[in-house]
Amino acid sequence: MRTFGNESAENYLEAILVLSKKLPVVRSVDIANELGFKKSSVSVAMKNLREKKHITVSEAGFIFLTDSGREIAEMIYERHEFLTDWLIKLGVSEETASEDACRIEHVISSESFEAIKRHVPSGQ
Amino acid sequence: MRTFGNESAENYLEAILVLSKKLPVVRSVDIANELGFKKSSVSVAMKNLREKKHITVSEAGFIFLTDSGREIAEMIYERHEFLTDWLIKLGVSEETASEDACRIEHVISSESFEAIKRHVPSGQ
DNA sequence: TTATTTAGTTAGTATAAACTAACGTTTGTT
DNA sequence: AACAAACGTTAGTTTATACTAACTAAATAA
């Protein structure tokens, strides 16, 4: 069967990366706002990410990506950006493009993603 | 949150369509073999599809798509075929192409799918 | 005819991921 | 000092989906 086991974690890590670009520090409540989840859900998710060593959390509750967490986050973020831009170029509305990218980014293989990247004329 | 509520149903409906192309009749056990699931899982899934009126089941246990079931199955199947072929054309291995298509087909919007179709030179 | 295989069902289990509700801590306000 | 707000955590619930185990019923074979 399909696991889906990583999709949720990937999404949280991506959100942390995105938030770290616009906020001085990232807290659980910021993630809850960003993703539209309840803070209890985020709390549990952060516990899991902590256990998997994808984040560290300071005394004050500030959340930081570890190397492994950052690696995942950046991979997903790159996919998100690329797929969104590409779909928009194909005529898809910004909103739909972003929503679809958000789903595809978690399920596409590296092999396929790289193939699409190769095929799309980059930088235009 | 993401629902995912339909992905499983879509997958079963697609399998029924695919099997109906190669077998004289489709039974639960055929679906279980096709998808690699246990027959108990299929039994429960068929109950749900029956309740949603996407299939009918004869006395003998033969499974038939209703109009709504066929519509979904054909939409997913078209996506599967198209995405697989397209990825292969881009240089992705057949196996990966099919696996990725199998995931993307359930999460992509019609808007994006149609945009990709438009952009790919059809029939070559 | 008994025994075996095949098909389907049901009940209960497991996991992932969200939720609500309730609680403790800290911080800020009056 | 006392009360309220903000933040985080925990416990327990819900839903979706697959699982195992145990059962029935029908079909096949010894």
Side-chain angles (χ1 to χ4, degrees):
Chain A
M1 70 156 258
R2 290 281 313 293
T3 53
F4 276 119
N6 302 352
E7 177 154 352
S8 174
E10 286 174 358
N11 225 24
Y12 280 110
L13 292 170
E14 184 189 17
I16 293 167
L17 179 64
V18 167
L19 286 169
S20 73
K21 291 177 194 289
K22 31 181 184 178
L23 300 178
V25 290
V26 179
R27 299 163 305 162
S28 273
V29 68
D30 302 318
I31 300 169
N33 291 335
E34 173 81 8
L35 296 177
F37 292 155
K38 296 300 171 184
K39 59 188 180 156
S40 54
S41 309
V42 177
S43 179
V44 173
M46 293 308 107
K47 199 176 92 182
N48 292 334
L49 291 181
R50 228 162 38 219
E51 279 164 7
K52 287 176 191 151
K53 311 272 192 194
H54 291 327
I55 61 169
T56 58
V57 182
S58 76
E59 285 290 310
F62 302 152
I63 295 168
F64 302 96
L65 294 170
T66 63
D67 286 350
S68 68
R70 179 167 300 277
E71 198 178 332
I72 296 167
E74 277 174 352
M75 176 194 71
I76 296 296
Y77 183 68
E78 188 210 340
R79 289 180 176 190
H80 184 86
E81 294 287 284
F82 178 85
L83 292 171
T84 303
D85 290 352
W86 173 62
L87 288 173
I88 289 171
K89 262 186 275 177
L90 296 189
V92 177
S93 72
E94 283 188 34
E95 193 182 341
T96 303
S98 180
E99 282 170 10
D100 282 4
C102 210
R103 307 206 195 101
I104 297 171
E105 69 195 23
H106 302 290
V107 301
I108 195 172
S109 65
S110 292
E111 187 182 345
S112 292
F113 180 68
E114 295 303 324
I116 298 173
K117 257 195 358 191
R118 229 178 295 126
H119 138 272
V120 174
S122 63
Q124 51 165 355
Chain B
M1 72 158 260
R2 288 282 311 293
T3 54
F4 276 120
N6 302 353
E7 178 153 352
S8 174
E10 285 174 359
N11 226 24
Y12 280 110
L13 292 170
E14 184 188 17
I16 293 167
L17 180 64
V18 167
L19 286 169
S20 74
K21 290 177 194 290
K22 33 182 183 178
L23 299 178
V25 290
V26 180
R27 299 163 305 162
S28 273
V29 68
D30 301 319
I31 300 169
N33 291 336
E34 173 81 9
L35 296 177
F37 292 154
K38 296 299 171 184
K39 58 188 180 156
S40 54
S41 309
V42 177
S43 179
V44 173
M46 292 309 107
K47 200 176 90 181
N48 293 334
L49 290 182
R50 227 161 41 218
E51 280 165 6
K52 287 178 191 151
K53 312 273 191 194
H54 291 327
I55 61 169
T56 58
V57 182
S58 77
E59 285 291 310
F62 301 153
I63 294 167
F64 302 96
L65 294 169
T66 62
D67 285 350
S68 67
R70 179 168 300 277
E71 197 177 333
I72 296 166
E74 278 174 350
M75 176 194 70
I76 296 296
Y77 183 68
E78 188 210 340
R79 290 179 176 191
H80 184 87
E81 294 287 284
F82 178 86
L83 292 171
T84 302
D85 290 352
W86 174 62
L87 288 173
I88 289 171
K89 263 187 276 177
L90 297 189
V92 177
S93 72
E94 282 188 35
E95 192 180 343
T96 303
S98 180
E99 282 169 11
D100 282 4
C102 211
R103 305 205 196 103
I104 296 172
E105 69 196 21
H106 302 289
V107 301
I108 196 171
S109 66
S110 293
E111 187 183 344
S112 292
F113 180 67
E114 295 302 324
I116 298 173
K117 258 196 353 192
R118 229 179 295 127
H119 138 271
V120 174
S122 64
Q124 50 166 352

